[in-house]
Amino acid sequence: MTINLNTLITESRNPASASIDELSTFDMLEVINGEDKKVALAVEETLPQVAKLVDAIVLAFEQGGRLIYTGAGTSGRLGILDASECPPTYGTPAEQVVGLIAGGHKAILKAVENAEDNVDLGQQDLVDLNFGPKDVLVGIAASGRTPYVMGAMQYAKSVGATVGCICCNPNAPMVDEADIAITPIVGPEVVTGSSRMKAGTAQKLVLNMLTTGAMIRTGKVYGNLMVDVEATNAKLVERQKKIVMEATECSREEAVEALDAAKGHCKTAIVMILAGVSALEAHELLGSSNGFTRRAINNAQ
């Protein structure tokens, strides 16, 4: 099958960097930085679609569904990165947000030959996850045409799941397959076809918003504090204390005492202090408030 790269914006040549190999190091970096500045503005244009997809992910989580990312190469790695950050940051179960990459885990570090061209593999990876109608699939591909991703999107659609995509070409095949298409048009890359650059940055910004937005909407954040953070190392133990102190304006000693009583659970400690209740009562208030800290505090009054 012949692939016509001439139709892809992400594969076109950038006149701003046409002579970049002749520039000084500083001037070269100025060109790269100048192009990077365009990325956030391109992502801004897609905010209505990002909001729709966040709402779909929230609904899936509320119904016991999952968010599954699928991609190849850089796109697959970005999905895995975003998924892997959710458990330590927000205390989510590892299976709630999952990143799939063409070629499996070995492809995270090294390209797997022809894996991204395998439509059936995209479907099979979802079958292996017991993907179902309650889940949300987000296909990620700068080109918007990767067969592995297309196969996954088509399968997800066939089982009745919500299907989103993130790509950087406006008329790509993935757009037609998606219920919600997010297409930040960042233009040609500084190095022609190197979509790990502007396209990759745009994808990362959108992924950040998808999971951060969904976590805020499901009660994982109080104010702007990550109150479900898991203390898996010394730094995070200190962060928990700092979070409780900032949320309640209590002393360090009070934060430590509350966290000890709450068995290291920030939300419980915060509700204990602000509502003036025991750890057990705080736990029950959070349970009846679907885990929303502010709601639990208000319900105690």
Side-chain angles (χ1 to χ4, degrees), residues 11-44:
E11 295 289 337
S12 58
R13 293 193 67 184
N14 191 331
S17 59
S19 301
I20 199 167
D21 60 327
E22 300 179 54
L23 301 179
S24 69
T25 300
F26 182 82
D27 290 343
M28 170 188 71
L29 298 179
E30 269 200 322
V31 171
I32 295 172
N33 183 241
E35 290 298 304
D36 285 343
K37 290 174 183 176
K38 301 175 182 178
V39 176
L41 295 175
V43 170
E44 182 181 17

Side-chain angles (χ1 to χ4, degrees), residues 53-124:
L53 192 48
V54 168
D55 288 341
I57 294 165
V58 170
L59 181 61
F61 287 171
E62 289 173 347
Q63 296 176 341
R66 301 167 294 174
L67 168 60
I68 310 297
Y69 293 134
T70 181
T74 296
S75 297
R77 295 181 190 105
L78 288 170
I80 289 170
L81 173 63
D82 193 68
S84 68
E85 292 290 353
C86 290
T89 308
Y90 297 111
T92 59
E95 64 274 11
Q96 188 176 52
V97 184
V98 177
L100 297 174
I101 186 169
H105 280 182
K106 60 184 176 181
I108 297 172
L109 298 177
K110 186 177 180 181
V112 176
E113 188 174 356
N114 296 325
E116 73 171 62
D117 296 326
N118 194 325
V119 175
D120 294 336
L121 185 60
Q123 173 177 326
Q124 188 58 50

Side-chain angles (χ1 to χ4, degrees), residues 39-283:
V39 176
L41 295 175
V43 170
E44 182 181 17
E45 295 296 319
T46 72
L47 288 181
Q49 292 74 40
V50 177
K52 287 181 182 177
L53 192 48
V54 168
D55 288 341
I57 294 165
V58 170
L59 181 61
F61 287 171
E62 289 173 347
Q63 296 176 341
R66 301 167 294 174
L67 168 60
I68 310 297
Y69 293 134
T70 181
T74 296
S75 297
R77 295 181 190 105
L78 288 170
I80 289 170
L81 173 63
D82 193 68
S84 68
E85 292 290 353
C86 290
T89 308
Y90 297 111
T92 59
E95 64 274 11
Q96 188 176 52
V97 184
V98 177
L100 297 174
I101 186 169
H105 280 182
K106 60 184 176 181
I108 297 172
L109 298 177
K110 186 177 180 181
V112 176
E113 188 174 356
N114 296 325
E116 73 171 62
D117 296 326
N118 194 325
V119 175
D120 294 336
L121 185 60
Q123 173 177 326
Q124 188 58 50
D125 282 352
L126 290 188
V127 171
D128 292 344
L129 274 182
N130 295 315
F131 186 90
K134 290 183 180 179
D135 298 322
V136 172
L137 181 78
V138 178
I140 314 168
S143 67
R145 52 147 302 278
T146 305
Y148 169 83
V149 179
M150 290 287 291
M153 291 176 67
Q154 289 162 359
Y155 177 75
K157 204 167 185 179
S158 75
V159 301
T162 299
V163 179
C165 77
I166 306 169
C167 65
C168 297
N169 286 289
N171 300 311
M174 279 169 53
V175 172
D176 294 330
E177 291 293 337
D179 299 306
I180 304 167
I182 299 169
T183 55
I185 308 305
V186 297
E189 300 287 2
V190 168
V191 175
T192 305
S194 182
S195 54
R196 74 185 186 90
M197 298 182 74
K198 289 194 297 181
T201 301
Q203 290 170 340
K204 181 65 168 69
L205 291 176
V206 172
L207 292 170
N208 285 348
M209 288 192 287
L210 291 181
T211 44
T212 303
M215 296 305 164
I216 292 170
R217 290 285 312 280
T218 53
K220 298 290 186 179
V221 174
Y222 174 61
N224 61 356
L225 301 172
M226 55 173 81
V227 289
D228 261 330
V229 64
E230 290 189 346
T232 55
N233 58 45
K235 180 188 77 173
L236 294 179
V237 169
E238 284 303 309
R239 179 173 290 167
Q240 280 194 326
K241 296 170 188 174
K242 187 170 184 286
I243 287 170
V244 174
M245 291 166 64
E246 290 183 345
T248 66
E249 298 183 352
C250 73
S251 67
R252 179 181 174 85
E253 291 72 21
E254 288 175 301
V256 170
E257 184 179 343
L259 280 166
D260 285 344
K263 298 180 179 178
H265 191 240
C266 274
K267 282 183 179 179
T268 303
I270 291 167
V271 175
M272 285 174 61
I273 295 170
L274 292 182
V277 297
S278 68
L280 178 59
E281 289 171 314
H283 179 75

